[in-house]
Amino acid sequence: MITVECAVRVAAPAERVWKLFATEEGQRRAEEGFVSSIEFEGKGLGMVRTMRTEGHIGDGYVKERLDHYDEAEMEMMFRIIDTGDVVPFADYCGFAKIIPAGASASVLLMRSTFVPVDMPEAEARAVSEENYRLFIANVHAAVAAGDV
């Protein structure tokens, strides 16, 4: 099993950054560049999102289910329930938490765990790390543009 972790400072209050995770439009904004669209089925725990992938992942789709959501703690976790035969990870879980860092900043913590499918661990880790790089760049861009 591979674990990929990342924590970065974001120059915005935690409540603003949380909107990129807690809202459908925020999730669409944060996934730009490697996800072309997201469709949501249901609300709250058990909600399923279907993401159309692009870029370094390849063209296809992946389905994730919301297995953990705590608004008060500003944390959530998605689990892949259908790889769409495009995401080479088995038993993928992605966790995110926004941690307040004073009145005008926050820390974004992300952690994913998975088993690579038919690919070397280093290559699988590189795919996940590129997802994080794009996601974090989108978070910083959304904050700078006042989108959240």
Side-chain angles (χ1 to χ4, degrees), residues 16-95:
R16 279 185 56 206
V17 178
W18 178 242
K19 289 179 186 175
L20 289 169
F21 294 83
T23 66
E24 291 179 4
E25 285 310 309
Q27 289 180 43
R28 288 184 179 105
R29 175 70 172 94
E31 304 278 356
E32 289 177 357
F34 58 106
V35 172
S36 60
S37 67
I38 306 175
E39 297 171 17
F40 296 88
E41 302 169 44
K43 298 282 184 193
L45 287 178
M47 176 271 290
V48 173
R49 65 182 186 179
T50 302
M51 299 183 291
R52 298 284 169 199
T53 60
E54 62 183 6
H56 72 284
I57 297 174
D59 293 334
Y61 75 91
V62 62
K63 288 189 175 199
E64 295 182 333
R65 182 184 61 232
L66 183 63
D67 281 359
H68 173 74
Y69 183 88
D70 187 329
E71 190 164 353
E73 293 294 323
M74 291 184 277
E75 61 183 37
M76 64 190 336
M77 185 188 74
F78 281 95
R79 177 181 302 274
I80 290 181
I81 58 171
D82 183 344
T83 69
D85 202 28
V86 70
V87 176
F89 303 153
D91 198 29
Y92 174 93
C93 292
F95 173 82

